[in-house]
């Protein structure tokens, strides 16, 4: 069965960095676009970034552009999100999500908590 398992979250001070990982299994990882989506406390889901199947193309929300970098290692079936210059407003649960050919999300991980606070 499809599994997406995020890791790497934690507590970091403003201006700090974290690297999230998402280990994928149960499907042909290299055949699908993948996404990072987050949810801040008390708010709805916010799309963060996505990446094409080869990893050559990425897109970012304006709120994270220039600070976050998404990448993937298809040999390891793993997705990454390097987060630099973190701000308090980056606090939330971060999910990786598999994207279908129609641009919908059909599988999600359990999420990893990121807290940016001094």
């Amino acid at each position: 069965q499809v599994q997406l398992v995020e890791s790497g979250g934690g507590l970091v001070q403003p201006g700090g960095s974290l690297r999230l990982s998402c280990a994928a299994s149960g499907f042909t990882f290299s055949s699908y676009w993948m996404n990072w989506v987050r949810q801040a406390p008390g708010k709805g889901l916010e799309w963060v970034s996505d990446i094409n199947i080869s990893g050559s193309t990425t897109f970012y929300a304006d709120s994270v552009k220039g600070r976050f970098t998404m990448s993937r290692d298809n040999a390891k079936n793993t997705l990454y999100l390097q987060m630099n210059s973190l701000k308090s407003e980056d606090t939330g649960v971060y999910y990786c999500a598999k994207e279908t050919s129609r641009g919908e999300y059909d599988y999600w991980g359990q999420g990893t908590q990121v807290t940016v606070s001094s």
Side-chain angles (χ1 to χ4, degrees):
Q1 71 279 22
V2 173
Q3 282 196 316
L4 298 170
V5 180
E6 301 95 336
S7 61
L11 173 63
V12 62
Q13 292 187 340
S17 298
L18 280 175
R19 188 193 197 201
L20 307 184
S21 298
C22 171
S25 61
F27 65 104
T28 306
F29 178 73
S30 58
S31 297
Y32 293 92
W33 283 64
M34 296 294 295
N35 291 255
W36 286 100
V37 180
R38 68 184 180 184
Q39 186 168 30
K43 297 189 176 180
L45 293 170
E46 177 190 16
W47 171 79
V48 174
S49 62
D50 64 1
I51 191 166
N52 71 341
I53 59 176
S54 69
S56 61
T57 300
T58 51
F59 297 96
Y60 299 94
D62 287 345
S63 57
V64 307
K65 200 172 294 183
R67 300 187 298 121
F68 289 13
T69 303
M70 186 176 185
S71 61
R72 66 192 297 162
D73 185 336
N74 287 339
K76 295 182 178 180
N77 289 349
T78 303
L79 192 66
Y80 302 101
L81 186 67
Q82 178 66 44
M83 307 187 295
N84 298 330
S85 303
L86 282 161
K87 306 175 182 180
S88 57
E89 50 263 44
D90 295 318
T91 293
V93 179
Y94 284 68
Y95 301 91
C96 61
K98 174 181 171 288
E99 186 176 325
T100 71
S101 57
R102 295 191 296 179
E104 300 166 337
Y105 304 148
D106 55 352
Y107 290 96
W108 297 72
Q110 84 289 348
T112 187
Q113 176 70 46
V114 171
T115 303
V116 185
S117 174
S118 54

